[in-house]
């Protein structure tokens, strides 16, 4: 982890622990805070422009979201930027491109986390030392600001550039893929959590039902209760906890990352591998020589394969 102060997109040196090729990108930029959008800003306050709330923050205080603060008249991001070690041990679910055993043992986590206090593992040759996350990186909002961290590194002799920026709460949303063949509800139907509208049913993809959850209309556009429940719902889903959702005119679904959905009280145990097009594309060659004719019936695309 590296403490950092700048929250205004003005560029920052980022020492990468253990990296062979740490390169910072301190780019001289104009002072983005020279012109606060509220011209009546009191002299002892700074205006945070990292989201549309535009908090005016007194010296020593934090803004409404506790992410930005006024430190000696400068706007600072209060959390450190989070860098993860790329490699964890196989028991924890290793992901290391050069380590076939680790790949085989990978438990499925997209970004592996080492246990707090775990001893650092030796890095493999050519392996990037760290995984640069956007957590604590600060934002580009408003969008004319450059990315707060532009990090270059070398992996297996290949130059890599990682650009990270932190999303702002008000625009956070999730697209949730529900692996079920069951009809969940009509497209555009409201999705509710604890009675509040937190999203809608959107276009099915890959043979799965898709929900669009969160977003600015539910987080800031409705009642405070709607906003709170929407953010809590996204937080719980993001932390792999179960969330109960109701679709207007449709099903009740218990959703949890990494677990099969429970639709109207019935845990899902199997579903088709994809839409009709996927079935034809994936299995056409395997059918050759096994059967004379195959009819793939699907509610999206129907295929007929004849020898
Ligand atoms: S990012 Fe946080 S501190 Fe900054 S304006 Fe928005 S709510 Fe206020």
């Amino acid at each position: 982890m590296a403490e950092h102060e700048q929250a205004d997109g003005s560029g920052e040196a980022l020492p990468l622990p253990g990296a062979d090729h740490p390169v910072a990108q301190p780019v001289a930029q104009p002072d983005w805070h020279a012109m606060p959008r509220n011209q009546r800003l009191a002299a002892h306050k700074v205006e945070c422009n990292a989201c549309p709330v535009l908090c005016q923050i007194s010296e020593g205080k934090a803004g409404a979201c506790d992410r930005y603060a006024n430190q000696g008249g400068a706007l600072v991001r209060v959390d450190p930027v989070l860098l993860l070690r790329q490699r964890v041990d196989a028991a924890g679910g290793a992901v290391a491109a050069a380590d076939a055993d680790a790949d085989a043992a990978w438990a499925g986590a997209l970004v592996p986390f080492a246990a707090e206090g775990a001893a650092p593992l030796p890095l493999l040759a050519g392996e990037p030392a760290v995984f640069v996350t956007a957590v604590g990186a600060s934002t580009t909002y408003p969008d004319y600001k450059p990315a707060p961290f532009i990090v270059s590194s070398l992996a297996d002799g290949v130059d890599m550039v990682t650009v990270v920026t932190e999303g702002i709460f008000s625009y956070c949303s999730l697209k949730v893929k529900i692996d079920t063949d069951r009809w969940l509800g009509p497209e555009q139907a409201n999705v509710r959590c604890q009675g509040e509208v937190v999203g809608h049913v959107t276009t099915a993809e890959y043979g799965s039902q898709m929900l669009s959850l969160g977003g600015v209309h539910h987080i800031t556009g409705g009642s405070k209760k709607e906003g709170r429940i929407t953010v809590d719902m996204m937080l719980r889903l993001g932390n792999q906890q179960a969330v109960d959702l109701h679709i207007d005119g449709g099903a009740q679904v218990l959703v949890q990352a990494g677990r099969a959905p429970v639709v109207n009280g019935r845990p899902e145990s199997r579903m088709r591998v994809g839409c009709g097009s996927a079935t034809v594309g994936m299995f056409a060659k395997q059918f050759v020589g096994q059967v004379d004719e195959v009819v793939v019936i699907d509610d999206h695309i129907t295929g007929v394969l004849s020898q």
Side-chain angles (χ1 to χ4, degrees):
M1 286 190 192
E3 290 284 348
H4 74 107
E5 290 189 342
Q6 286 180 273
D8 57 1
S10 57
E12 178 169 359
L14 177 62
L16 288 184
D20 307 344
H21 188 52
V23 176
Q25 298 289 332
V27 183
Q29 298 289 350
D31 180 359
W32 302 106
H33 296 282
M35 294 284 289
R37 278 189 266 178
N38 188 336
Q39 297 299 325
R40 290 185 294 174
L41 186 69
H44 67 288
K45 294 187 175 187
V46 295
E47 181 185 79
C48 176
N49 64 357
C51 91
V53 175
L54 295 175
C55 289
Q56 296 180 12
I57 310 172
S58 300
E59 161 68 31
K61 303 283 188 194
C65 66
D66 281 341
R67 295 190 303 153
Y68 292 87
N70 178 345
Q71 188 177 66
L75 184 70
V76 298
R77 180 71 175 87
V78 297
D79 303 303
V81 65
L82 190 64
L83 307 175
L84 303 178
R85 290 187 64 82
Q86 183 82 348
R87 186 165 184 265
V88 295
D89 65 44
V95 190
D99 186 338
D101 292 341
D103 252 2
W106 179 38
L110 291 179
V111 179
F113 286 80
E116 190 175 348
L121 291 162
L123 292 169
L124 301 176
E127 185 183 3
V130 292
F131 179 90
V132 183
T133 80
V135 178
S138 178
T139 181
T140 56
Y141 188 90
D143 293 334
Y144 53 77
K145 289 198 289 193
F149 290 92
I150 302 171
V151 182
S152 76
S153 56
L154 205 58
D156 286 334
V158 177
D159 281 329
M160 289 201 313
V161 177
T162 307
V163 179
V164 291
T165 183
E166 200 172 28
I168 55 175
F169 288 157
S170 6
Y171 293 109
C172 287
S173 64
L174 301 175
K175 194 170 184 183
V176 180
K177 178 170 170 283
I178 311 286
D179 288 335
T180 180
D181 289 334
R182 270 178 252 281
W183 185 78
L184 296 184
E187 269 185 29
Q188 303 178 13
N190 285 335
V191 177
R192 294 178 186 271
C193 181
Q194 298 173 47
E196 295 293 325
V197 179
V198 295
H200 63 273
V201 178
T202 188
T203 314
E205 292 178 31
Y206 312 112
S208 296
Q209 315 295 319
M210 307 295 282
L211 305 181
S212 174
L213 303 178
V216 69
H217 289 301
H218 300 298
I219 295 175
T220 66
S223 66
K224 282 189 175 174
K225 186 180 175 197
E226 177 180 341
R228 273 198 301 272
I229 288 176
T230 300
V231 171
D232 180 64
M233 173 272 303
M234 289 195 295
L235 188 68
R236 285 191 285 144
L237 280 179
N239 285 328
Q240 302 186 327
Q241 295 169 0
V243 171
D244 204 11
L245 301 171
H246 292 257
I247 296 167
D248 285 359
Q252 177 261 331
V253 198
L254 189 69
V255 182
Q256 186 171 10
R259 297 271 179 97
V262 180
V263 182
N264 292 328
R266 291 177 58 187
E268 201 58 273
S269 57
R270 60 199 306 181
M271 70 170 290
R272 67 202 204 274
V273 293
C275 63
S277 170
T279 306
V280 171
M282 284 191 284
F283 298 117
K285 279 190 175 173
Q286 281 90 331
F287 290 143
V288 174
Q290 308 298 322
V291 289
D292 296 327
E293 187 161 288
V294 175
V295 180
V296 176
I297 300 173
D298 185 84
D299 65 339
H300 301 142
I301 295 172
T302 297
V304 179
L305 310 175
S306 300
Q307 289 215 51

